[in-house]
Amino acid sequence: MRVIVIGSGPCGLITAISLKKFHPYMDVILLEKDHDIGSRIKISGNGRCNFINKKLDSSKYSTTFVSHILTYSNEVLNLLDETGFNYYFDSEGRGYPTSESSLTLIKVFKDLISQYGVELRNDYLVISINLKLDKIIINNDLKCDRLVVACGGISYQNDRLNYNRIVSELNLKVVPLTPSLAPLSVSSFPKRLENKKVKCQVSLLYNDKILKTERGEVLFKKDGLSGIVIFNTSSFLARLHLNSYNGYQISLNLLPNISEEKLKSLIQKNPLLDHILLKDLADYVYSFANSANTIRDLRFDVRGIYDFKNSQVTSGGVSLDELNRNLSLKKDSRVYLGGEFIDVDGECGGYNIGFALCSGYMIGKEMDSEK
Ligand SMILES: Cc1cc2nc3c(=O)[nH]c(=O)nc-3n(C[C@H](O)[C@H](O)[C@H](O)COP(=O)(O)OP(=O)(O)OC[C@H]3O[C@@H](n4cnc5c(N)ncnc54)[C@H](O)[C@@H]3O)c2cc1C
């Protein structure tokens, strides 16, 4: 039996390896449009590759559909362990290679591919998929019995045209695509705050009602806010599929760890606030009528989420209604879909590569089983 896997991101790579591990008799071909594998693994985590989280919890995802898929994470790690790949978890459970380099994981995958006998074809762009009764035909060129589509989303450098083409070849229903894990455009603030960072508590409000609160570092950009907490807030917003952001605001509590009493005393001693906050931020907060309130609640109107090019993940994708639990298509169980290509997205912290790996591993292991 021949299986073709499209896409050598984390999902496609581990699918191909897992297929050969559990079904060595299968002939597995991995097709990749780029010249090398794993382009997004390379850039992930600022080149350090936060490839998994110790606790892949479904609450960190857009849907609980992922729960049974995430249970494969230990097996994923065991497979990587087989190669001597070494990694660690930081205090937030984020998993990184001890080499602190994504290239180490790429090398591990290259070695696994050759060890398990996966045939890799680079520079191969899939443009047509023909689901014939007896065979599946790719680009009027390659025939196979099973197909796994792991083409990713459209964030960063992947393009919408390519995504839409694959989706229309398979005639799939798609939940609208929205950039996620991206900076937020917000109402204006003084230019001198650009590139400044502040550790604070970030709340997302709608008409003054708090929807979400998280602590972390915020970076002021040219016309927006960035940082992990802002990325996670963008993922919350992306899932709402809004046409307008009217009424949505970000509130920064600049001193979340300081009591009211202490804050009052600090402001009494230093009304200019420049002994309390970063100078540029202090000047900005001081420009408001009530500094104490502003320190607790510095507001910005949300204008939108940055575009796909500036986002780490795509929210939306092929509708989960199209899929069985084992990620095969309801209308043609010879075809499987995994990773970011489908309507699953996670927060920052290794949840996206983590899902791509777990889904690919499961597809490979459970192919043709009833699970
Ligand atoms: C800057 C950045 C940093 C990130 N950092 C992290 C992080 O630290 N941790 C984390 O968990 N997630 C991170 N992510 C998200 C993560 O990279 C993705 O969610 C993950 O790579 C998705 O895996 P995938 O295998 O589903 O798709 P992808 O990694 O997108 O792989 C899809 C592959 O399919 C190929 N392909 C597409 N169409 C075709 C076609 N028609 N024919 C042939 N090949 C095709 C593509 O070239 C690509 O190689 C980051 C993303 C970005 C952009």
Side-chain angles (χ1 to χ4, degrees), residues 6-13 31-34 36-41 43-46 48-52 96 124-127 150-153 155-158 162-163 165-166 181 308-309 311-314 338-342 347-357 359:
I6 310 176
S8 74
C11 180
L13 285 163
L31 303 177
E32 169 54 54
K33 67 177 172 55
D34 293 344
D36 200 2
I37 63 164
S39 59
R40 291 180 61 211
I41 296 177
I43 53 163
S44 66
N46 285 326
R48 284 171 65 217
C49 187
N50 172 203
F51 71 100
I52 204 155
Y96 295 93
Y124 193 109
L125 173 70
V126 173
I127 51 171
C151 290
S155 292
Y156 194 61
Q157 285 175 340
N158 292 351
N162 171 58
Y163 186 93
R165 191 165 45 214
I166 302 286
L181 299 189
F308 283 107
K309 202 161 44 74
S311 72
Q312 291 199 350
V313 78
T314 302
E340 208 182 305
F341 186 66
I342 63 175
E347 293 187 5
C348 286
Y351 297 101
N352 289 297
I353 296 182
F355 173 71
L357 291 172
S359 59

Side-chain angles (χ1 to χ4, degrees), residues 196-265:
K196 301 285 185 323
K197 290 177 182 171
V198 59
K199 284 201 174 120
C200 58
Q201 178 171 294
V202 179
S203 301
L204 174 68
L205 313 175
Y206 179 62
N207 288 344
D208 289 326
K209 189 171 159 263
I210 296 181
L211 302 178
K212 179 182 178 357
T213 296
E214 195 177 331
R215 287 187 188 192
E217 193 170 69
V218 170
L219 166 70
F220 290 87
K221 289 177 70 81
K222 191 159 172 265
D223 59 353
L225 304 174
S226 187
I228 288 176
V229 271
I230 296 292
F231 278 25
N232 287 339
T233 307
S234 78
S235 114
F236 183 96
L237 282 167
R239 292 169 195 168
L240 300 178
H241 297 287
L242 299 169
N243 291 321
S244 153
Y245 291 90
N246 273 348
Y248 286 88
Q249 289 184 307
I250 293 290
S251 161
L252 305 185
N253 178 349
L254 300 172
L255 294 172
N257 296 321
I258 287 185
S259 69
E260 289 308 319
E261 207 179 327
K262 170 99 184 179
L263 181 60
K264 219 166 127 193
S265 126

